[in-house]
């Protein structure tokens, strides 16, 4: 426990108390930093627990910094970097998912990028959250870029043992990622099996488009759902963003209470 940081400790506490959380994913290239700040403000008002920033290969440099600063100007939620590459690092965030794509066929995405980025990340002072990143069909852009050997949706066992291997290797979190814009998240059978195999928080990302998928994912065993595309697609109408996030957060809260 001594090497757990403030953000991760708060995640563990919230899981214990709430049973489930929703994080909003903001990918800097997909909206102006000012709009990102407005989305963050709405997210906090709706009960979102954290903002994950990144996801694409374009989330870096001045755009990344400006987006995070706007988020922090408009909310007090923790900002966790969700890096799409080794350049997706900013000292302005609170923490970073230090991810290894366990089912990539390219060693670069398993250990290479991590070695290349370790020293620069250390210099930022960011809180590190070691994270197993597991790509599930259809995988979409992240699966293609990361050369993932996709976990078949009909084989929950493979996701479970992959996450368990990640835990044994030292990960503090596991993410089942179906890819940004996926039509639906990982199957509930896969979520349930994976959660039974591991003792670390489980995140379901990709395809959590509505309150139904959010509720089902948390009820099946996920501790956290990432909500990205559902917000991005409505970022030109913030009233719709608020409506969508409120419904998703309410469904996550309901599922979490039922799970406890």
């Amino acid at each position: 426990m001594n090497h757990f940081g403030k953000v991760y400790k708060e995640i563990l506490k919230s899981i214990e108390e709430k049973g489930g959380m929703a994080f909003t994913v903001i990918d800097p290239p997909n909206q102006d930093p000012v709009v990102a700040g407005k989305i963050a403000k709405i997210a906090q008002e709706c009960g979102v627990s954290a903002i994950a920033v990144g996801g694409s290969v374009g989330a870096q440099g001045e755009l990344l910094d400006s987006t995070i600063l706007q988020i922090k100007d408009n909310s007090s939620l923790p900002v966790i970097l969700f890096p799409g590459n080794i350049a997706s690092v900013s000292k302005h965030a609170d923490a970073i998912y230090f991810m290894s794509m366990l089912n990539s066929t390219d060693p670069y995405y398993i250990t290479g990028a991590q070695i290349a980025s370790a020293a620069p990340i250390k210099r930022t002072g960011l809180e590190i959250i070691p994270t197993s990143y597991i790509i599930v069909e259809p995988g979409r852009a992240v699966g293609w870029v990361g050369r993932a050997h996709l976990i078949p949706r009909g084989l929950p066992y493979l996701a479970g043992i992959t996450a368990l291997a990640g835990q044994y290797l030292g990960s503090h979190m596991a993410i089942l990622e179906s890819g940004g814009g996926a039509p639906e998240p990982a199957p509930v059978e896969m979520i349930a099996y994976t959660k039974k195999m591991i003792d670390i928080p489980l995140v379901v990302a990709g395809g959590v488009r509505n309150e139904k998928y959010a509720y089902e994912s948390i009820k099946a065993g996920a501790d956290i759902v990432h909500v990205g595309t559902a917000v991005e697609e409505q970022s030109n109408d913030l009233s719709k963003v608020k409506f969508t996030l409120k419904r998703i957060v309410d469904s996550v809260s309901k599922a979490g209470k039922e799970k406890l």
Side-chain angles (χ1 to χ4, degrees):
M1 288 291 289
N2 290 336
H3 65 285
F4 290 174
K6 178 181 177 181
V7 173
Y8 186 69
K9 286 179 180 177
E10 187 59 37
I11 288 172
L12 294 179
K13 180 182 177 184
S14 293
I15 290 170
E16 184 177 351
E17 293 175 351
K18 300 177 181 178
M21 293 181 287
F23 291 2
T24 297
V25 179
I26 294 179
D27 197 357
N30 294 337
Q31 66 281 297
D32 182 90
V34 172
V35 174
K38 292 178 180 178
I39 291 172
K41 182 177 181 180
I42 291 170
Q44 183 164 354
E45 292 171 350
C46 290
V48 166
S49 298
I51 307 290
V53 176
S56 78
V57 293
Q60 60 192 64
E62 183 179 351
L63 178 61
L64 177 61
D65 288 341
S66 297
T67 298
I68 293 172
L69 290 173
Q70 283 291 329
I71 290 170
K72 286 191 161 290
D73 282 346
N74 286 275
S75 84
S76 59
L77 295 175
V79 175
I80 305 171
L81 291 171
F82 186 25
N85 62 79
I86 62 174
S88 298
V89 177
S90 171
K91 66 181 181 181
H92 302 297
D94 299 300
I96 183 170
Y97 292 140
F98 194 75
M99 300 190 298
S100 175
M101 188 182 291
L102 294 186
N103 58 324
S104 175
T105 60
D106 186 340
Y108 175 79
Y109 294 101
I110 305 171
T111 57
Q114 295 74 18
I115 293 169
S117 62
I121 290 174
K122 183 178 178 64
R123 287 194 289 270
T124 66
L126 287 166
E127 176 183 334
I128 308 303
I129 304 177
T131 303
S132 292
Y133 199 38
I134 302 162
I135 313 303
V136 178
E137 288 179 338
R140 295 190 47 89
V142 67
W144 185 86
V145 171
R147 299 179 178 87
H149 189 48
L150 302 176
I151 302 289
R153 294 179 65 81
L155 296 176
Y157 174 74
L158 294 181
I161 61 173
T162 303
L164 181 61
Q167 177 181 315
Y168 287 168
L169 285 167
S171 289
H172 295 172
M173 299 183 75
I175 300 177
L176 293 182
E177 172 71 80
S178 298
E184 56 187 334
V188 292
E189 297 84 4
M190 182 178 290
I191 296 169
Y193 189 93
T194 302
K195 186 57 184 177
K196 287 178 182 178
M197 293 290 283
I198 61 177
D199 303 308
I200 56 178
L202 176 63
V203 181
V204 170
V208 186
R209 292 176 164 270
N210 52 46
E211 65 271 20
K212 174 179 178 291
Y213 288 141
Y215 174 86
E216 291 176 348
S217 296
I218 295 295
K219 190 67 184 292
D223 300 295
I224 299 164
V225 291
H226 275 184
V227 183
T229 302
V231 171
E232 288 174 3
E233 292 178 343
Q234 299 175 334
S235 59
N236 60 342
D237 188 338
L238 296 179
S239 64
K240 289 183 178 179
V241 169
K242 186 170 187 176
F243 178 79
T244 298
L245 279 179
K246 186 66 168 64
R247 289 174 69 91
I248 288 175
V249 170
D250 286 349
S251 68
V252 165
S253 177
K254 179 182 178 184
K257 289 177 182 176
E258 291 175 359
K259 198 168 62 173
L260 289 176

